[in-house]
Amino acid sequence: MATPKDTNLSVNHTDRWYLSKDQISNSPSFKMGMPNAKETSNRQHAALLIQQMGQKLKVNQLCINTAIVYMHRFFTCHPFTLFHRNKIARACIFLSTTAPSTAACTAIPSQFDYALQPATSTPS
């Protein structure tokens, strides 16, 4: 059984988010069989979704950037094959509005209901 100081997720580990090229190329998604190009594409799509949601919610860019960092950090520990990028993007933008470092974010929780709804197409 691994002790907390033997894992990458140790709370006391100061270099937790400094990843080597080897760690980046051997991500959890890659270990689950996803090609690196597909993982990069998923990260780009999630970041774009966060940017669009943040603009729709009219939160500041610091809040949006914080959400993108949260998303990247999440997927350094968890694979895309188990967690859909859109759901994680939504959670990250919500969490970034509650972070103390982004106190200027003024999104109202009721705005999330509207902004996070999937786009519906009108029948032709």
Side-chain angles (χ1 to χ4, degrees):
M1 185 165 144
T3 61
K5 64 181 175 182
D6 292 338
T7 66
N8 266 350
L9 302 178
S10 173
V11 175
N12 295 327
H13 196 262
T14 57
D15 295 333
R16 178 178 178 181
W17 300 116
Y18 294 112
L19 303 174
S20 68
K21 286 184 180 183
D22 186 46
Q23 289 173 307
I24 293 170
S25 63
N26 290 316
S27 67
S29 296
F30 181 76
K31 290 177 184 175
M32 297 280 292
M34 180 179 286
N36 283 333
K38 178 70 173 165
E39 180 179 8
T40 300
S41 174
N42 281 339
R43 286 177 183 269
Q44 290 171 341
H45 282 100
L48 179 62
L49 178 61
I50 290 170
Q51 182 70 39
Q52 291 171 341
M53 285 189 300
Q55 289 172 342
K56 197 172 192 180
L57 289 166
K58 296 182 176 141
V59 296
N60 62 23
Q61 193 62 43
L62 175 62
C63 189
I64 294 169
N65 294 347
T66 301
I68 292 171
V69 169
Y70 287 169
M71 179 271 301
H72 284 300
R73 287 181 176 179
F74 181 85
F75 285 115
T76 61
C77 302
H78 304 283
F80 279 96
T81 53
L82 297 179
F83 299 95
H84 196 275
R85 66 181 186 239
N86 293 0
K87 289 182 180 181
I88 299 305
R90 291 174 182 153
C92 291
I93 192 77
F94 177 78
L95 289 174
S96 72
T97 64
T98 63
S101 63
T102 59
C105 292
T106 58
I108 300 168
S110 63
Q111 291 176 315
F112 280 94
D113 292 337
Y114 171 74
L116 302 182
Q117 303 244 342
T120 56
S121 59
T122 57
S124 354

